[in-house]
Amino acid sequence: MSPALTIRPYSEGALAQAAGKLRAGELVAFPTETVYGLGADATNKDAVAGIFAAKQRPSFNPLISHFPDRDAAARHAVFDDRADKLAAAFWPGALSLVLPKRDDSDICELTTAGLPSIAVRVPAHDMARALLRAADRPIAAPSANRSGRISPTMAGHVAASLGNAVSMILDGGPCGVGLESTVIDLTTDRVVMLRPGGITAEQIKAVLDCDIVMASADDNAPKSPGMMTSHYAPGLPVRLDATEPDANIGDEVLLAFGPECATRGFAKVLWLSKTGDDREAAANLFALLHQADQSRVKGIAVAPIPHQGLGIAINDRMKRAAAPRIPATDAD
């Protein structure tokens, strides 16, 4: 029988307990500024296997390894000029870099899905970095939810999705950014955005002064998390660019955006942002998706969101949420 799940608000004692569990090979969910991560010692193949089992995630889908600072990440990944510029500009923060893996790295192959590259990030959340320092080892941490489902931005979302599959949840309250990190691939001469997120393409381009290539979905050999066609999916069907109710569906919850948004006729309205603020909408997105999914309706409608700034990442998440569902063992 699985041990009872422990949920503890932040304290020095809770932090020490969580770090001890990670060093012992157990799974610990913890907050970052993006979403809650499901952490395991990235050098321990049995611990990392526990992530895949808990999430019901395919082993060909690599994980992001988290570090307290750039120098710790550089002990496992090869940084070039571009990586150093991006790290200086955005770390700690909502940016993950896919870089060549160092030959002497002890991060296990299950973490990197056997690829010669490794995804690394330094989170901006103070509690997350304190935990990484206390654990004193790289922590692999995808979003703390069943694979392919809505990402968690509160401790309660983690508990509802994973239950006793996780040993402990370190509760740091709601996540501030609310979208997963942007993932940039620097393993070739091109700069490729594998997943849009909390750092925009415009911000990346401003630092590197180069074109950004947008990667396509990959259901077979993704180079980073968040590249599967179907992802972030609630139980209810999702309809995009909704400007009015759909009589063929019936009752729907509307995720509304902007002062001109038409809301009449929907069974329920949840506001991503009444003012059309993309940062507010990103922070609210997953929490409202969880709330909408628990409503007694037949579907979720999403109002049009301008495809610029963080709207690109929001639309990416909603497109994957609305995609035809594939079995959980084939999604992330």
Side-chain angles (χ1 to χ4, degrees), residues 129-249:
R129 287 206 314 285
L131 177 62
L132 293 168
R133 287 191 293 268
D136 194 28
R137 58 200 61 190
I139 300 299
S143 57
N145 55 280
R146 294 288 182 189
S147 193
R149 299 305 179 186
I150 309 170
S151 296
T153 56
M154 292 187 276
H157 297 160
V158 180
S161 186
L162 295 178
N164 289 344
V166 57
S167 175
M168 178 180 177
I169 301 173
L170 196 58
D171 187 354
C175 299
V177 174
L179 286 175
E180 293 87 353
S181 62
T182 299
V183 182
I184 297 292
D185 179 11
L186 297 177
T187 58
T188 69
D189 290 339
R190 302 188 308 165
V191 178
V192 182
M193 182 172 283
L194 300 179
R195 177 178 74 186
I199 305 297
T200 67
E202 291 83 2
Q203 290 174 289
I204 300 294
K205 188 173 182 177
V207 171
L208 296 183
D209 191 26
C210 67
D211 292 331
I212 310 297
V213 179
M214 302 297 294
S216 302
D218 191 335
D219 290 333
N220 299 308
K223 211 168 184 180
S224 91
M227 295 185 70
M228 309 291 280
T229 302
S230 176
H231 195 21
Y232 317 107
L236 293 172
V238 175
R239 182 168 66 92
L240 304 181
D241 296 323
T243 57
E244 59 184 11
D246 188 329
N248 295 321
I249 296 177

Side-chain angles (χ1 to χ4, degrees), residues 28-113:
V28 173
F30 62 95
T32 75
E33 75 280 17
T34 57
V35 299
Y36 274 73
L38 180 61
D41 177 356
T43 68
N44 181 334
K45 68 179 187 303
D46 293 328
V48 174
I51 289 178
F52 288 93
K55 283 179 64 71
Q56 300 175 10
R57 175 189 177 106
S59 60
F60 60 74
N61 203 346
L63 305 175
I64 296 170
S65 294
H66 293 68
F67 302 87
D69 54 55
R70 180 263 179 209
D71 289 347
R75 289 197 282 272
H76 299 273
V78 179
F79 280 67
D80 62 12
D81 243 10
R82 301 170 301 170
D84 279 330
K85 287 179 180 178
L86 291 177
F90 301 115
W91 279 359
L95 176 69
S96 296
L97 299 176
V98 176
L99 304 172
K101 183 182 177 185
R102 289 179 59 96
D103 291 339
D104 58 351
S105 171
D106 60 351
I107 287 177
C108 68
E109 289 202 353
L110 188 56
T111 300
T112 61

